[in-house]
Amino acid sequence: MKYIFVTGGVVSGLGKGITAASLGRLLKQRGFKVIAQKLDPYINVDPGTMSPIQHGEVFVTEDGTETDLDLGHYERFIDENLNKYSNLTTGKVYWNVLRKERRGEYLGSTVQIIPHITDEIKRFIYNVGDRAQAEIVITEIGGTVGDIESQPFIEAIRQICIEKPEDVCFIHVTLVPYISGSDEYKSKPTQHSVKELQNMGVRPNIIVARADGRLPEDVKRKIALFCNVKEDCVVENTTVEDLYEAPLMLEEQGLSAIVCRELHLTEREIDLREWEALTKRIKGLHKEVTIALVGKYVRLHDAYLSVVEALKHGGYEHDTHIHIKWIDSEDVTKENAPQLFADVQGICVPGGFGSRGIEGKIITAGYARENNIPYLGLCLGMQIAVIEFARNVLGWQDADSNEFNPASSHKVIDFMPGQNDEIDKGGTMRLGAYPCVIKEGTLLKKCYDCDEVRERHRHRYEFNNLYRQDYENSGMTIAGLSPDGQLVEAVEIPACDFFVGVQYHPEFKSRPDKAHPLFRGFIEAALNKKEQ
């Protein structure tokens, strides 16, 4: 098994994740079995409790692991399902080590950073490849070289290089700033960053230079000379028009061939025809629709990263460019809804937690239903649709979720079956992939064109089965159920052209060259709305 470690220097936000994801795609197109992993230096055990405004979305894997959003990039680019070993934080490392210490697994030894913390990090790195039976493991180290938090991770990958000297490649992503006053690119920040990394025992094989434009050859030669890498191992990472052009931009400079050489891999022919066709299709989109994305974290667009990408994927398959109209749900009122949604052809209400902005989302779902605007509700977005229908169709004005209003006499969204208020809420979420049986004759069945699917969940509350018959009698169809029939997975309103709410997160399984069926159907409905 081969190991590629991607580090970052000078500043954060240089695109380590996109570099790692792009390289993964390139190596996969050479026929290698690739898996990716992110090591994050923050002390949270996982990002599950972190604010989306600070950290962006929480991505969920098939096995129910709450992870960093970069794993979404990995899955979309590499098209491989990741697992619980694909995301490791400092908090999780210490959590695991301390539990082992309490169980006596260290046999009375003094527990230290080296070897116990670094051994735990190495265990995750080795396990992710073993679990996926991969040929190549790509591991991104979060943070910036020099940060005190990331030192144990750097030490762990240094040790792996000693253990497997022929099987490791270090890639350092760094900034080469342009100084307009002197009209030149400056390599000194890169030199200092590499020196910092070398002081920790890690020597980069490849430097990916993040720059605003093409680097002059003399600058690249200077970086190679002073950073002790081969000249062709200085690879530019320039800004591209669309994210999915990044693999092609890097491959123009021979990145995957260089990596194969540095890892002593027999180079296989690369086939990028499908990816090239995808980027060509993206550049040549002829139609356009506007989709309102109504949430409470819209100040940071990364909070809904997978939803936005899935909407784009749906557009790619319909030759359509997607304009996102970002709407803060706290700003939506009955009075301004007609103005807010006057120029949109579809409305998407994504997931979320907490009561802030809920009433605006309920008004949004009602406006979509009453005006026959295509509506796609994801997780909380489905629950919102259920609450709105109860209030304005069934006539239960106090209908609500037990999460938002425990005093409601119509808790149409309640704890999972068998739960009660005394349960510790931190450990009651339904996480990961669960099966959904699709009802015949529904829009859901038309979109999926199959009888059963597995979709990823991240929620604590469920549709209350006490009211299921009331909904069905009044025009809302239960379109998807768990195999035992106990959990409602999807609802729809047949009287509308497209009104679907799902309890899960389909956005996590959408791919740029293979849009998720629900997003594909949603964009088709939005196009039809525009033509009406």
Side-chain angles (χ1 to χ4, degrees):
M1 199 175 296
K2 303 292 185 177
Y3 299 88
I4 299 169
F5 297 105
V6 181
T7 57
V10 185
V11 296
S12 59
L14 290 178
K16 294 192 307 295
I18 296 300
T19 300
S22 297
L23 177 57
R25 186 72 198 201
L26 295 173
L27 292 170
K28 183 173 181 177
Q29 294 307 116
R30 286 187 181 271
F32 294 105
K33 172 72 171 175
V34 182
I35 197 72
Q37 179 186 53
K38 175 79 179 290
L39 307 184
D40 275 308
Y42 50 76
I43 300 177
N44 303 66
V45 174
D46 59 46
T49 59
M50 297 170 71
S51 167
I53 294 295
Q54 287 189 24
H55 188 73
E57 76 173 6
V58 175
F59 188 82
V60 179
T61 59
E62 286 283 294
D63 61 8
T65 305
E66 295 176 290
T67 75
D68 182 82
L69 60 78
D70 273 321
L71 271 70
H73 288 312
Y74 301 160
E75 285 208 2
R76 285 187 287 273
F77 276 73
I78 305 174
D79 195 18
E80 295 286 344
N81 289 333
L82 305 182
N83 57 55
K84 67 179 182 180
Y85 294 111
S86 295
N87 197 199
L88 180 65
T89 68
T90 294
K92 188 178 290 184
V93 173
Y94 279 87
W95 179 274
N96 291 344
V97 168
L98 289 172
R99 286 193 298 177
K100 289 179 180 179
E101 185 271 333
R102 291 290 85 187
R103 292 196 298 264
E105 292 187 26
Y106 297 123
L107 304 178
S109 297
T110 301
V111 179
Q112 298 176 292
I113 302 295
I114 303 171
H116 302 97
I117 296 300
T118 51
D119 281 354
E120 184 68 17
I121 295 169
K122 289 192 294 182
R123 183 177 73 86
F124 256 73
I125 293 170
Y126 289 141
N127 280 347
V128 72
D130 293 338
R131 176 87 172 257
Q133 296 184 318
E135 295 174 270
I136 301 173
V137 176
I138 300 176
T139 301
E140 176 193 349
I141 313 298
T144 304
V145 168
D147 295 345
I148 191 170
E149 297 97 332
S150 59
Q151 288 181 4
F153 293 114
I154 302 296
E155 171 60 22
I157 66 176
R158 183 194 70 83
Q159 292 178 22
I160 289 177
C161 187
I162 293 174
E163 294 169 8
K164 299 178 180 290
E166 298 297 309
D167 301 326
V168 170
C169 176
F170 294 115
I171 298 177
H172 192 52
V173 182
T174 180
L175 178 68
V176 181
Y178 173 72
I179 307 299
S180 59
S182 57
D183 188 28
E184 59 182 339
Y185 285 94
K186 303 301 263 183
S187 66
K188 192 63 72 177
T190 294
Q191 295 177 42
H192 282 298
S193 180
V194 171
K195 181 181 178 182
E196 181 79 28
L197 196 56
Q198 290 175 334
N199 286 341
M200 301 171 76
V202 171
R203 185 182 73 81
N205 301 83
I206 298 168
I207 292 175
V208 174
R210 187 76 169 88
D212 290 333
R214 302 301 299 266
L215 293 179
E217 288 302 315
D218 63 319
V219 174
K220 293 169 73 172
R221 284 194 296 270
K222 187 176 181 181
I223 291 172
L225 178 64
F226 284 97
C227 296
N228 198 26
V229 300
K230 300 163 189 170
E231 283 194 18
D232 67 347
C233 288
V234 179
V235 177
E236 299 167 348
N237 184 350
T238 54
T239 302
V240 291
E241 289 183 24
D242 187 87
L243 200 61
Y244 300 114
E245 294 178 45
L248 300 178
M249 177 265 295
L250 293 170
E251 188 58 19
E252 282 179 6
Q253 303 168 73
L255 178 60
S256 66
I258 295 168
V259 168
C260 288
R261 183 191 70 203
E262 296 299 304
L263 284 173
H264 313 287
L265 284 164
T266 300
E267 189 177 335
R268 304 173 187 173
E269 187 177 349
I270 192 166
D271 183 359
L272 289 172
R273 287 174 295 179
E274 290 185 2
W275 202 260
E276 288 169 346
L278 168 68
T279 57
K280 185 177 180 180
R281 188 163 68 246
I282 293 171
K283 285 185 174 180
L285 300 175
H286 295 91
K287 308 173 192 174
E288 57 182 43
V289 294
T290 300
I291 303 296
L293 201 157
V294 185
K296 66 177 184 178
Y297 311 125
V298 295
R299 281 180 294 157
L300 182 68
H301 293 180
D302 274 359
Y304 302 110
L305 180 60
S306 290
V307 177
V308 170
E309 291 304 308
L311 289 167
K312 291 179 181 178
H313 302 164
Y316 299 159
E317 296 201 13
H318 290 291
D319 189 27
T320 301
H321 179 71
I322 308 298
H323 296 284
I324 304 290
K325 183 173 184 178
W326 297 90
I327 297 178
D328 191 323
S329 59
E330 289 190 279
D331 296 335
V332 181
T333 65
K334 288 185 178 179
E335 291 72 28
N336 68 12
Q339 180 182 353
L340 285 175
F341 301 118
D343 58 346
V344 307
Q345 291 83 51
I347 295 173
C348 179
V349 176
F353 289 87
S355 60
R356 182 170 62 85
I358 289 299
E359 291 304 317
K361 293 180 182 180
I362 292 172
I363 293 167
T364 297
Y367 188 86
R369 178 181 59 79
E370 292 170 355
N371 293 276
N372 195 21
I373 299 174
Y375 176 91
L376 180 60
L378 311 172
C379 195
L380 177 61
M382 182 202 97
Q383 298 179 358
I384 290 297
V386 167
I387 294 170
E388 188 281 327
F389 193 89
R391 291 184 183 180
N392 299 314
V393 176
L394 294 170
W396 303 336
Q397 294 301 315
D398 70 334
D400 216 322
S401 165
N402 196 14
E403 179 183 12
F404 309 135
N405 182 15
S408 168
S409 59
H410 291 94
K411 298 172 187 173
V412 294
I413 304 296
D414 207 346
F415 286 118
M416 297 183 197
Q419 293 183 356
N420 57 63
D421 292 357
E422 303 302 318
I423 293 178
D424 171 24
K425 294 183 181 181
T428 60
M429 285 212 293
R430 191 148 64 108
L431 285 165
Y434 287 84
C436 168
V437 178
I438 300 171
K439 186 176 181 179
E440 288 291 335
T442 59
L443 185 56
L444 203 69
K445 177 63 183 286
K446 181 182 177 183
C447 288
Y448 279 108
D449 192 27
C450 61
D451 298 325
E452 184 173 320
V453 294
R454 287 182 63 83
E455 294 283 5
R456 301 180 194 179
H457 291 248
R458 182 177 180 251
H459 62 98
R460 183 172 292 117
Y461 295 83
E462 303 280 356
F463 184 102
N464 192 333
N465 287 331
L466 291 174
Y467 304 110
R468 188 186 294 185
Q469 198 59 52
D470 294 292
Y471 278 89
E472 298 227 77
N473 291 343
S474 300
M476 178 173 278
T477 298
I478 308 299
L481 292 167
S482 58
D484 63 5
Q486 293 303 304
L487 299 174
V488 172
E489 295 282 1
V491 299
E492 60 185 60
I493 300 177
C496 297
D497 293 336
F498 191 104
F499 193 105
V500 175
V502 293
Q503 186 58 83
Y504 43 82
H505 290 271
E507 66 270 22
F508 293 149
K509 299 186 80 167
S510 189
R511 304 289 183 260
D513 51 351
K514 188 171 57 180
H516 189 283
L518 285 180
F519 284 90
R520 185 172 59 237
F522 177 55
I523 298 304
E524 181 181 11
L527 280 167
N528 292 337
K529 179 70 175 177
K530 187 173 184 179
E531 293 171 359
Q532 289 176 1

